[in-house]
Amino acid sequence: MYPGSFDPLTNGHLDIIQRASKVFDMVIVGVLENGNKKPLFTATERLEMIKEVTKDLENVKAEAFSGLLVDFAGQHNASVILKGLRTVADFEYEFQMALLNKALNPNYETMFMMTDSKYSYISSSMVKEVARLKGSLDGLIPYSIIHKIKEKY
Ligand code: PNS
């Protein structure tokens, strides 16, 4: 289970999904529908973008969820919650979430995959900032979805 907001999916996210698809039998990308942040894209739009860029990966599927991540993981019999770590700055928050999820349900293991160094500076919020200020999104998000974010601004 690879959960996130994916608002929008970045090249860093896609790299984790591609590498995870080689390590795990099945990867379910869980798109948080109603988190605390007000998303730019609806859950349906975020799902469509993920499905578009992962369509050639046979063992990857994407689904929206609301409620607790451990409950969603349980519905899919997913035993591993996978997270990407870009820098040590991500670690503290991710460590806290991993421990909380473990306390909520000890059946799931959180595993971390290091983001490839060439993507370590990319975040969905930076991508939105660049798009809002009409900068180039080349190399930040998959080429096939660049027009979707441009349409929003
Ligand atoms: O891409 P993000 O915004 O960093 O992803 C955060 C996400 C979706 C993984 C996290 O907010 C989450 O798991 N939300 C679901 C609600 C939940 O289970 N909360 C308790 C654990 S933090």
Side-chain angles (χ1 to χ4, degrees), residues 3-6 32 37 65 67-69 83 97 100-101 104:
S5 304
F6 306 108
L32 182 64
K37 313 170 204 164
F65 77 101
L68 284 177
L69 173 61
K83 294 298 200 73
M97 277 202 284
L100 176 60
N101 284 328
L104 288 168

Side-chain angles (χ1 to χ4, degrees), residues 37-115:
K37 313 170 204 164
K38 167 111 184 64
L40 176 65
F41 293 96
T42 66
T44 308
E45 289 171 326
R46 286 178 275 149
L47 264 183
E48 271 173 13
M49 288 188 275
I50 295 167
K51 286 182 177 167
E52 162 67 28
V53 299
T54 59
K55 59 176 186 259
D56 295 332
L57 300 171
E58 281 174 11
N59 62 342
V60 173
K61 60 181 185 181
E63 224 178 90
F65 77 101
S66 48
L68 284 177
L69 173 61
V70 288
D71 292 342
F72 182 58
Q75 287 159 20
H76 286 278
N77 261 338
S79 50
V80 171
I81 294 168
L82 180 70
K83 294 298 200 73
L85 275 185
R86 286 167 298 192
T87 63
V88 282
D90 282 341
F91 179 77
E92 206 170 329
Y93 178 57
E94 291 297 343
F95 187 45
Q96 191 183 10
M97 277 202 284
L99 292 178
L100 176 60
N101 284 328
K102 195 81 183 160
L104 288 168
N105 192 324
N107 292 324
Y108 305 106
E109 293 298 339
T110 299
M111 292 191 179
F112 295 100
M113 199 176 257
M114 297 309 300
T115 300

